[in-house]
Amino acid sequence: YSKDKTVDVRNEIASWITSLNANYVLTIQFPVEKRSTNYERSKNMLRSVMANLEFYLLGNDWIHHHIPFVAFCEKGKFQTYHYHVFLYNNNVKLNRIKTAMHKVFHKTGFDTGILYLDPFFTANTPSYCTKEIYADKNKHFDTNNIIISQELFGV
């Protein structure tokens, strides 16, 4: 781990996220009984939540014209995973996203209180989401913390 290179990598990633001009940032915390310290299990739950969200927003054909996003995976204080999801390149209205999220949480049984949707994130939000990314002296870093929608859905 190199402190200087980590700062450089975090800044580059934050700049990239900023350049996407995200419309919304969605923070997803899973219910206490569903939270996991297992990365793959947590990622599968993210896939399910986001697939359902897109289905409720775009209908059956959502996979062919889905809303692109970049998700940052973080471990909370109990070492369980949660996500900050940057939705970009869309013209979906905030009320439609809120309605769709309520449908997702109703379907899954999740509590809507664990959802935070920020339509006007600050300039610091992308930097905040890189706090668990560390780089070595060659600027290599673990990309598991960054999940791109195309990769998550295999499109």
Side-chain angles (χ1 to χ4, degrees):
Y1 155 69
S2 165
K3 187 175 181 178
D4 291 340
K5 297 301 180 188
T6 293
V7 170
D8 291 346
V9 166
R10 287 177 180 174
N11 287 338
E12 289 172 25
I13 293 169
S15 293
W16 169 60
I17 293 298
T18 300
S19 75
L20 295 175
N21 294 316
N23 303 66
Y24 306 104
V25 179
L26 177 65
T27 298
I28 300 174
Q29 288 256 27
F30 301 110
V32 172
E33 68 277 5
K34 300 265 188 189
R35 292 180 187 169
S36 179
T37 57
N38 180 289
Y39 173 78
E40 288 302 323
R41 182 169 183 254
S42 176
K43 187 175 170 183
N44 286 337
M45 286 191 294
L46 173 69
R47 182 181 296 110
S48 176
V49 167
M50 295 307 294
N52 279 301
L53 174 66
E54 296 211 33
F55 169 77
Y56 288 122
L57 286 171
L58 304 173
N60 287 329
D61 202 32
W62 68 268
I63 196 75
H64 299 292
H65 54 271
H66 83 96
I67 298 170
F69 61 84
V70 175
F72 284 85
C73 178
E74 293 183 2
K75 282 189 172 182
K77 62 182 175 180
F78 298 110
Q79 297 302 301
T80 58
Y81 292 101
H82 68 277
Y83 296 89
H84 300 285
V85 182
F86 291 81
L87 301 166
Y88 63 94
N89 281 350
N90 70 81
N91 57 3
V92 178
K93 300 295 181 216
L94 181 61
N95 285 340
R96 283 193 59 221
I97 291 180
K98 286 182 178 180
T99 299
M101 285 307 302
H102 282 283
K103 289 179 181 178
V104 169
F105 284 101
H106 179 72
K107 177 181 178 180
T108 61
F110 290 3
D111 177 8
T112 56
I114 62 171
L115 166 73
Y116 179 70
L117 180 64
D118 186 0
F120 305 107
F121 62 96
T122 68
N124 293 329
T125 305
S127 295
Y128 172 81
C129 292
T130 65
K131 70 183 179 292
E132 291 188 11
I133 294 174
Y134 298 95
D136 67 15
K137 65 181 180 175
N138 297 314
K139 290 189 170 183
H140 298 138
F141 63 95
D142 183 1
T143 58
N144 282 342
N145 290 45
I146 304 171
I147 301 167
I148 297 169
S149 58
Q150 292 85 343
E151 178 265 328
L152 185 67
F153 295 133
V155 294

